[in-house]
Amino acid sequence: MRDTENMEAEMEYDDGEEPSFSDPEDFVDDISDQELLGDVLKEKPQEADGIDSVIVVDNVPQVGPDRLEKLKNVIHKIFSKFGRITNEFYPDADGKTKGYIFLEYSAPSHAHEAVKNADGYKLDKQHTFRVNLFTDFDKYMSICDEWEAPEKQPFKDFGNLRHWLEDPDCRDQYSVIYDSGERTGIFANDVKEPIEVEERARWTETYVRWSPKGTYLATFHQRGIALWGGEKFKQIQRFSHQGVQLIDFSPCERYVVTFSPLMDTKDDPQAIIIWDVLTGQKKRGFHCESSAHWPIFKWSPDGKFFARMTLDTLSIYETPSMGLLDKKSLKINGIKDFSWSPGDNIIAFWVPEDKDIPARVTLMQLPSRNEIRVRNLFNVVDCKLHWQKNGDYLCVKVDRTPKGTQGVVTNFEIFRMREKQVPVDVVEMKESIIAFAWEPNGSKFAVLHGESPRISASFYHVKNNGKIDLIKMFDKQQANSIFWSPQGQFLVLAGLRSMNGALAFVDTSDCTMMNIAEHYMASDVEWDPTGRYVVTSVSWWSHKVDNAFWLWTFQGRLLQKNNKERFCQLLWRPRPPSLLSQEEIKLIKKDLKKYSKIFEQKDRLSQSKASKELVDKRRAMMEEYRKYRERATEMYQEQRPLRLELRGGVDTDELESNIDDWEEETIEFFINEEIIPIGDL
């Protein structure tokens, strides 16, 4: 029946009468645009879609058709580093390009990266690129001619961020994580027992880090990093970085670098993010394939530059722009490692041998990039760079295989950074090296060498006459680590973990062994910032029993044994550099005996709890008397007009206020009479 109807409809259409597609007069259109074009509206197409991936490059060489292909290859090589180029346009006139071009990337993030890194790129002496986003032209054209003052941001008072430096007893602070990470506490160090400053449950999810000057405490969370500070450790800043695992501060504390393996995408680099500590803003993101050698970025001592090493490339960035220094990286074939001087903007890097070309160590001054010293090395297996804390010396530990021998020989190449042309001295050691460490504020270094159980500790002194003297060598040491006091002179030779926590306290001024002790299964050694105390600890993260931290003097005298349930980590709070000049410090050291009497008296009073209670009682009484005296003085001054009125305007408050009206009168009176008989004499 249906087929018959269809045939009739086709016969009617064939007759030339078209069917009507018009809506009836009473038809109501109840279909919304969302139902009809939902998939299109979801994308929200705009007139400007696509142009945010376009950049405009100005100051491009003007060339004819014969050189256009070569120019395109050069441009493509430079700009393809930042992403895939999908389209390019070279406007021309009168047979030559106009000097500017348009490039379109596959994603807007690539265009932003190109603008950030290629703007100011120097192609040759006559051509320096100026790179802008195409969308910037509309933005700059629509800027209002009248300047509007920015809105004032409310000031946030976080209190005194360096209050712990004002402690009257100069106690240093340290953080402790215990109860398998569930609890975190901040304590003030005291000879008798730690003084709790702050303690919180689940303050961090993994571990904590202090900033280089001790201003901030960083805690780790699944969603990012939080910074705390001030007297009550209020939250000062948050940085949202999902799955963050590692952080690093710039030496000036202005920037913090975070790493997360979860966030990285091809178009939007977020594995490593550099943040501004003061504003909390993200400054720049970077890709990162591996965090095995953290920190990926190494900072210059003043925080103005930071650098990273990739295959055959050393990239140096500058702050606050976070762009490449001079808009380009350094091409260094085979670069293996690099390190900043702690005292100057100098980078040291080394390159291994390549066929007939020897290995070399190079010292480069920045930002000029001048090579101030190059040292060629032969038969090199490996190198390690060790800077002295002040940047006065650089030690390059060189493992070599001399021709004609099978074993590995180690050379210590000592660069004297403060002398002209940077002379180099060499110390050769034929035994395997276990550890090396510079004295922080001096010219000595310590080396652990040999094989267990015949491990030796050697101490060397770099003299001004160009010689390096062996001061002392201790045989048969149970040690695998060297820990210098931050102030120098004293150190601890420690046999951590597998060596059962053997400890040797050494005074290197005369190379005497002050004490030999043991903290069984110790995993960590931490000096306090002043060099007066040192802590050894057994972390629950490395050993599940006997978790505790012990406090020692620098001479090796045990002061405290602090057993914390499932203790994990102890970190001393760093101190900022002293504001005193070298002359003022010398003067204090000269007059130290005068100050030491005061300190010794305080120490004696704090020896017993009773003495402390007596001192506190006397202090309270003195404070109460001081307040009473202030009240009495204030009342005395308020009553002065009344005294003047009662005494006829004569001011008797001062003893000599009316000396002209005084009258002198002599008064004599009988006191005693004694009669002595003469006969008795």
Side-chain angles (χ1 to χ4, degrees):
M1 183 69 178
R2 183 173 299 171
D3 292 340
T4 307
E5 291 177 356
N6 290 340
M7 288 176 63
E8 290 178 357
E10 288 176 5
M11 288 175 64
E12 290 178 3
Y13 183 77
D14 291 340
D15 291 343
E17 188 177 335
E18 295 184 7
S20 174
F21 293 99
S22 301
D23 295 328
E25 293 181 2
D26 57 346
F27 175 76
V28 178
D29 186 1
D30 57 354
I31 301 176
S32 66
D33 291 341
Q34 188 65 35
E35 291 178 283
L36 192 62
L37 303 169
D39 54 341
V40 179
L41 291 173
K42 191 176 181 181
E43 299 294 330
K44 294 185 179 178
Q46 298 178 5
E47 188 178 339
D49 272 357
I51 65 171
D52 50 358
S53 300
V54 177
I55 64 171
V56 183
V57 185
D58 204 358
N59 293 341
V60 177
Q62 298 181 11
V63 299
D66 54 331
R67 297 179 59 195
L68 181 59
E69 194 61 34
K70 184 179 180 181
L71 176 64
K72 287 185 176 182
N73 291 336
V74 172
I75 294 293
H76 193 273
K77 183 179 179 181
I78 295 170
F79 286 90
S80 60
K81 298 175 185 176
F82 312 115
R84 186 169 62 87
I85 299 173
T86 59
N87 196 8
E88 54 187 35
F89 177 58
Y90 290 72
D92 57 8
D94 301 326
K96 279 190 174 183
T97 57
K98 288 187 174 183
Y100 60 89
I101 62 172
F102 300 88
L103 299 177
E104 183 179 359
Y105 284 96
S106 58
S109 59
H110 299 162
H112 283 273
E113 195 74 11
V115 171
K116 186 182 294 184
N117 291 284
D119 185 37
Y121 181 89
K122 193 171 183 179
L123 183 66
D124 54 41
K125 290 183 179 180
Q126 298 177 338
H127 299 92
T128 301
F129 292 157
R130 298 312 311 265
V131 186
N132 290 283
L133 292 170
F134 187 79
T135 52
D136 283 349
F137 287 90
D138 287 336
K139 182 175 74 175
Y140 296 139
M141 290 293 290
S142 60
I143 292 177
C144 182
D145 293 335
E146 295 182 5
W147 179 78
E148 291 184 7
E151 184 180 348
K152 285 186 178 181
Q153 298 297 321
F155 173 71
K156 295 180 180 178
D157 185 8
F158 297 110
N160 184 1
L161 296 180
R162 293 190 172 179
H163 72 285
W164 88 98
L165 299 175
E166 299 176 357
D167 183 87
D169 294 316
C170 302
R171 298 185 184 95
D172 280 290
Q173 294 184 355
Y174 53 82
S175 63
V176 175
I177 298 178
Y178 60 100
D179 198 8
S180 64
E182 285 293 307
R183 305 198 73 82
T184 303
I186 310 296
F187 295 89
N189 182 40
D190 189 78
V191 176
K192 293 184 65 64
E193 59 181 358
I195 301 171
E196 185 178 291
V197 177
E198 192 73 26
E199 199 267 349
R200 298 177 190 176
R202 293 179 291 280
W203 199 349
T204 182
E205 294 181 18
T206 51
Y207 61 102
V208 299
R209 275 281 306 273
W210 291 103
S211 61
K213 297 179 181 179
T215 308
Y216 308 106
L217 177 71
T219 57
F220 287 72
H221 310 273
Q222 182 61 31
R223 294 184 179 181
I225 297 292
L227 296 187
W228 311 80
E231 297 181 23
K232 298 297 182 182
F233 285 92
K234 296 179 182 178
Q235 188 178 105
I236 293 174
Q237 201 59 265
R238 290 184 304 174
F239 307 103
S240 179
H241 198 181
Q242 190 75 19
V244 63
Q245 293 183 352
L246 300 167
I247 68 167
D248 184 43
F249 284 91
S250 65
C252 59
E253 295 188 337
R254 180 62 194 270
Y255 305 102
V256 62
V257 186
T258 59
F259 167 78
S260 170
L262 307 179
M263 297 289 289
D264 210 14
T265 60
K266 187 177 180 181
D267 294 337
D268 187 16
Q270 293 194 58
I272 295 177
I273 297 178
I274 299 180
W275 307 86
D276 189 311
V277 170
L278 297 180
T279 64
Q281 292 180 345
K282 173 184 173 181
K283 300 296 288 184
R284 186 169 176 185
F286 294 88
H287 292 296
C288 182
E289 296 177 359
S290 171
S291 62
H293 302 286
W294 185 261
I296 303 296
F297 289 104
K298 298 178 183 179
W299 291 87
S300 64
D302 57 6
K304 291 182 178 179
F305 304 98
F306 58 98
R308 76 180 297 185
M309 183 184 69
T310 51
L311 182 64
D312 298 334
T313 304
L314 180 63
S315 301
I316 303 167
Y317 302 84
E318 56 185 343
T319 61
S321 67
M322 303 296 162
L324 279 169
L325 180 64
D326 296 335
K327 305 296 180 182
K328 56 185 177 183
S329 299
L330 289 169
K331 188 74 174 177
I332 306 172
N333 291 326
I335 182 172
K336 281 288 187 181
D337 193 17
F338 77 98
S339 181
W340 287 93
S341 163
D344 306 279
N345 286 340
I346 296 174
I347 276 185
F349 62 87
W350 80 277
V351 176
E353 295 178 74
D354 184 15
K355 298 178 183 178
D356 296 332
I357 302 173
R360 71 182 190 277
V361 175
T362 304
L363 299 176
M364 180 182 291
Q365 183 87 44
L366 289 168
S368 64
R369 304 196 184 195
N370 293 331
E371 293 185 355
I372 59 177
R373 188 69 161 88
V374 177
R375 175 80 168 175
N376 291 329
L377 305 168
F378 300 91
N379 306 315
V380 174
V381 177
D382 191 22
C383 284
K384 290 287 186 294
L385 306 172
H386 300 277
W387 284 97
Q388 188 251 11
K389 181 184 175 184
N390 298 327
D392 297 336
Y393 304 98
L394 167 66
C395 173
V396 181
K397 174 180 167 288
V398 184
D399 295 330
R400 300 169 53 245
T401 53
K403 291 182 179 179
T405 61
Q406 294 183 346
V408 175
V409 175
T410 298
N411 282 4
F412 293 112
E413 308 268 339
I414 309 296
F415 291 71
R416 298 171 180 265
M417 299 300 299
R418 304 304 178 195
E419 298 181 26
K420 288 183 178 180
Q421 299 180 344
V422 192
V424 180
D425 301 314
V426 181
V427 176
E428 184 176 301
M429 304 196 77
K430 295 184 178 179
E431 293 182 305
S432 61
I433 305 300
I434 299 169
F436 172 95
W438 280 104
E439 181 183 19
N441 294 319
S443 54
K444 295 192 284 286
F445 61 88
V447 184
L448 289 175
H449 52 94
E451 300 287 343
S452 183
R454 303 177 65 86
I455 295 174
S456 300
S458 296
F459 301 93
Y460 292 86
H461 183 209
V462 182
K463 294 193 171 180
N464 294 328
N465 58 5
K467 292 184 179 180
I468 299 178
D469 290 346
L470 174 63
I471 308 172
K472 184 78 174 179
M473 184 171 71
F474 294 113
D475 295 325
K476 299 179 180 178
Q477 295 298 306
Q478 279 189 290
N480 53 20
S481 303
I482 304 168
F483 298 95
W484 281 94
S485 161
Q487 305 303 322
Q489 184 178 343
F490 305 102
L491 61 77
V492 175
L493 300 174
L496 301 179
R497 297 178 175 87
S498 60
M499 287 191 172
N500 296 330
L503 304 170
F505 295 82
V506 182
D507 181 355
T508 62
S509 62
D510 53 5
C511 286
T512 55
M513 196 79 72
M514 297 183 293
N515 191 26
I516 296 175
E518 181 183 84
H519 185 176
Y520 183 68
M521 294 307 293
S523 57
D524 301 282
V525 176
E526 294 281 348
W527 281 92
D528 87 315
T530 65
R532 294 180 296 170
Y533 304 101
V534 62
V535 164
T536 59
S537 59
V538 181
S539 173
W540 185 77
W541 291 335
S542 60
H543 196 66
K544 300 301 181 185
V545 295
D546 299 328
N547 305 128
F549 65 91
W550 294 2
L551 181 71
W552 311 74
T553 66
F554 68 92
Q555 299 160 317
R557 181 165 59 90
L558 183 61
L559 298 176
Q560 298 173 14
K561 290 185 178 181
N562 294 286
N563 298 313
K564 289 282 187 183
E565 187 72 19
R566 289 172 291 179
F567 162 83
C568 299
Q569 180 196 50
L570 182 145
L571 290 177
W572 288 97
R573 187 174 193 171
R575 282 177 171 263
S578 174
L579 299 177
L580 299 174
S581 65
Q582 289 299 320
E583 289 74 18
E584 289 172 322
I585 293 174
K586 286 181 182 178
L587 186 62
I588 291 172
K589 288 182 177 179
K590 184 180 177 182
D591 298 336
L592 196 59
K593 288 184 179 179
K594 181 176 70 175
Y595 300 119
S596 62
K597 292 179 181 179
I598 302 171
F599 299 143
E600 286 170 3
Q601 184 181 4
K602 281 190 173 183
D603 290 341
R604 285 195 298 269
L605 290 174
S606 62
Q607 288 300 314
S608 65
K609 192 174 181 181
S611 297
K612 186 176 182 302
E613 289 177 354
L614 181 61
V615 170
D616 290 342
K617 184 179 179 181
R618 287 178 177 176
R619 283 179 179 169
M621 291 172 68
M622 188 65 189
E623 182 65 20
E624 186 179 349
Y625 167 72
R626 187 185 62 80
K627 290 180 179 179
Y628 165 75
R629 193 172 189 279
E630 286 179 357
R631 291 196 305 270
T633 303
E634 186 179 348
M635 184 185 297
Y636 183 76
Q637 293 298 328
E638 289 176 355
Q639 293 175 348
R640 187 171 183 274
L642 184 60
R643 288 196 300 276
L644 288 172
E645 183 182 348
L646 291 172
R647 295 168 185 172
V650 178
D651 186 1
T652 59
D653 288 355
E654 299 292 337
L655 291 176
E656 299 181 359
S657 59
N658 294 285
I659 193 168
D660 296 335
D661 298 333
W662 287 8
E663 292 182 4
E664 185 176 350
E665 183 179 349
T666 303
I667 300 175
E668 295 181 0
F669 53 90
F670 182 77
I671 300 176
N672 190 20
E673 180 181 2
E674 185 177 355
I675 300 173
I676 302 173
I678 298 175
D680 295 340
L681 292 175

